[in-house]
Amino acid sequence: MNDETAIQVEHVSKKFCKDLKTSMRYAIEDIGRNAVGMPAPSGLLREHEFWAVDDVSFEVERGETLGIIGPNGSGKTTLLKMLNGIFWPDKGKISVKGRMGVLIDVGAGFHPMLTGRENVYVNAAILGMSKRETEEKFDSIVEFADIGNFIDTAVKYYSSGMFVRLGFAVAVHCEPDILLVDEVLAVGDNGFQRKCFNKIGELKKNGTTVIIVSHSMHLISTYANKVILINDGTAHHFASVGEATHAYGRLFLSGQDREFNLKVSGNERIQFCDVCTNKRTFYPGETFYLSLKYVSSQEYEDVDVDLVIESNNEPQAFFQATNRTFNETINLRKGSHELVIALQDIPLNNAFATVAVVVWSNRRTELLFWCDIPVEFKGVALSSGKNFLKVTYSTSSSSLGLSSPLVSLK
């Protein structure tokens, strides 16, 4: 382990037992073996045991940020707890250099009967801070946590968000060389999350090594230098963050996710008989075309057409609008016709999504058509984030004729 390496994990594995009674029996047997100088069979699986983490190896250099992603139950938090020393690995070796700040479980390190003030001192001591150091930073910790007068209330009355606020405030004020953050930050409100991520950015500038476990691919794309995808306890390494988030998205795609889902195709007066798209795999900046051929026995004037691009991996909509957003009036004429819709210059980057198209009669009194179309947006090399924008660069010895800047840098 060289001087620039903050964390080194070598062929680490951790096993658990699915059955509590069997687990207790194995524990007694292992204690007995150790008492007489016999090694416990840590490298072998016994009945009802399974590998939660299986032969994982990686290194993190000082100042790097490692993102760890994967589905629920894949072994991410178990790995983090081994890095923090809460669990010991059954196989392999973990080497860590420097003071560690940790935020893994909501309320971890807090005694429910003690006040927030008292728990600050307890938690700070667990993280290696002296009483004098805690006293010097106490006001700053309370200000960052922003829980007001509740600092003198027993923490058993705290909400999950208040736990996270106080826990994160203590963790970052211990001036860690290594910061471990699990998905618990998702509990906080938007304002506090923004404050936390700004603080993480500040720590990174000061050379702190950061390991983030998250289901938010936007967060991983923003902060991580490299990514490990853990699935069923096995680690898959990615030097490209974009490739990692793409692989993560594929884990959740089923056969149904790749098929058209035609929910409503008309009624007794109008039938949408053919639905066509130009393609279903796109690169950022390309246009999605949809053709809806229909046969109608009556006029449908001034209909509403809703368009939504929904993420398949995160609970959010990338885009949502109706034809009225663009001051477009759409009339579905009597007879056989075709409605063509173009979503132009879509900037999505490295994402799996569903395009939902819904057609309503005037004033939304009747649902005429509804179709969900799964699509894939490829990633651009050396680019992360959910959107890709075209950027131009130029140098010139003369002014480009731009208007006065909002803020002068002189």
Side-chain angles (χ1 to χ4, degrees):
M1 185 172 177
N2 60 51
D3 293 337
E4 292 302 313
T5 302
I7 298 174
Q8 186 176 54
V9 176
E10 302 174 84
H11 304 288
V12 164
S13 299
K14 180 66 182 176
K15 63 181 178 179
F16 293 110
C17 186
K18 298 177 182 178
D19 178 72
L20 177 60
K21 184 180 293 186
T22 306
S23 177
M24 295 177 67
R25 176 166 60 84
Y26 288 157
I28 294 172
E29 291 176 358
D30 292 343
I31 292 172
R33 284 174 174 270
N34 291 332
V36 297
M38 295 176 61
S42 59
L44 301 174
L45 287 181
R46 295 169 286 194
E47 188 178 7
H48 301 305
E49 288 185 331
F50 67 96
W51 292 115
V53 175
D54 189 11
D55 195 24
V56 173
S57 300
F58 62 88
E59 288 187 0
V60 187
E61 303 296 319
R62 295 188 183 278
E64 275 191 325
T65 298
L66 172 68
I68 299 179
I69 60 178
N72 289 332
S74 60
K76 305 184 300 298
T77 300
T78 299
L79 178 58
L80 234 61
K81 288 182 176 181
M82 286 193 288
L83 293 176
N84 189 36
I86 297 175
F87 294 153
W88 286 97
D90 289 303
K91 293 193 297 183
K93 178 183 176 182
I94 297 176
S95 303
V96 177
K97 284 185 180 178
R99 175 187 280 185
M100 188 175 290
V102 183
L103 191 62
I104 298 179
D105 290 327
V106 174
F110 288 87
H111 192 292
M113 300 305 295
L114 299 180
T115 66
R117 182 183 301 272
E118 293 164 334
N119 270 294
V120 167
Y121 284 90
V122 172
N123 208 300
I126 292 173
L127 295 176
M129 296 172 64
S130 65
K131 183 179 180 181
R132 180 177 178 180
E133 186 180 1
T134 306
E135 289 173 345
E136 291 174 351
K137 297 179 179 179
F138 183 82
D139 290 342
S140 179
I141 291 172
V142 174
E143 181 182 358
F144 189 93
D146 192 23
I147 58 174
N149 296 330
F150 292 102
I151 190 66
D152 290 309
T153 302
V155 300
K156 68 178 181 178
Y157 300 114
Y158 281 16
S159 67
S160 298
M162 293 171 71
F163 269 121
V164 170
R165 283 174 173 268
L166 197 57
F168 188 85
V170 176
V172 297
H173 279 83
C174 78
E175 297 181 1
D177 300 303
I178 301 168
L179 179 65
L180 306 182
V181 183
D182 203 348
E183 189 65 32
V184 290
L185 281 185
V187 175
D189 56 51
N190 288 340
F192 184 71
Q193 286 184 19
R194 191 180 308 115
K195 184 191 290 189
C196 291
F197 296 140
N198 288 340
K199 188 65 176 180
I200 290 174
E202 181 184 322
L203 292 172
K204 285 184 62 178
K205 288 181 180 178
N206 295 330
T208 299
T209 301
V210 182
I211 295 182
I212 299 177
V213 171
S214 181
H215 292 289
S216 169
M217 296 303 101
H218 174 69
L219 174 62
I220 293 295
S221 298
T222 301
Y223 287 99
N225 304 114
K226 55 186 180 182
V227 179
I228 294 176
L229 170 63
I230 297 183
N231 191 27
D232 292 330
T234 302
H236 306 273
H237 298 260
F238 295 88
S240 166
V241 178
E243 290 178 6
T245 57
H246 209 64
Y248 175 82
R250 287 191 177 279
L251 292 177
F252 302 96
L253 290 180
S254 63
Q256 184 178 1
D257 291 327
R258 296 182 176 90
E259 297 176 358
F260 281 94
N261 185 4
L262 186 58
K263 297 182 177 180
V264 178
S265 61
N267 54 34
E268 64 274 9
R269 295 174 297 278
I270 184 171
Q271 279 293 317
F272 291 85
C273 48
D274 197 5
V275 180
C276 298
T277 65
N278 56 327
K279 54 183 178 178
R280 291 171 57 190
T281 300
F282 300 84
Y283 284 91
E286 293 186 330
T287 297
F288 172 89
Y289 289 98
L290 177 68
S291 166
L292 304 179
K293 294 181 179 179
Y294 67 91
V295 178
S296 180
S297 61
Q298 73 172 53
E299 303 278 336
Y300 282 95
E301 294 187 348
D302 197 17
V303 300
D304 285 341
V305 178
D306 294 340
L307 300 171
V308 183
I309 304 179
E310 296 178 307
S311 170
N312 283 5
N313 304 132
E314 300 175 53
Q316 61 173 310
F318 294 128
F319 168 83
Q320 184 170 6
T322 75
N323 54 301
R324 302 191 187 281
T325 307
F326 307 98
N327 295 318
E328 291 278 353
T329 299
I330 301 176
N331 300 314
L332 300 182
R333 298 303 181 192
K334 184 177 179 180
S336 298
H337 299 280
E338 179 182 19
L339 173 63
V340 178
I341 300 169
L343 286 165
Q344 299 178 352
D345 305 327
I346 303 173
L348 289 180
N349 180 52
N350 195 25
F352 293 95
T354 297
V355 178
V357 182
V358 184
V359 181
W360 296 87
S361 63
N362 184 254
R363 298 185 180 181
R364 297 179 180 262
T365 57
E366 188 176 8
L367 179 60
L368 304 178
F369 177 84
W370 183 357
C371 183
D372 290 341
I373 306 166
V375 293
E376 177 181 351
F377 295 93
K378 295 288 189 179
V380 177
L382 303 180
S383 170
S384 61
K386 290 301 182 188
N387 291 288
F388 182 80
L389 306 179
K390 292 183 179 180
V391 181
T392 60
Y393 303 89
S394 65
T395 59
S396 175
S397 59
S398 60
S399 171
L400 297 177
L402 300 177
S403 60
S404 299
L406 296 176
V407 179
S408 176
L409 301 180
K410 293 182 179 178

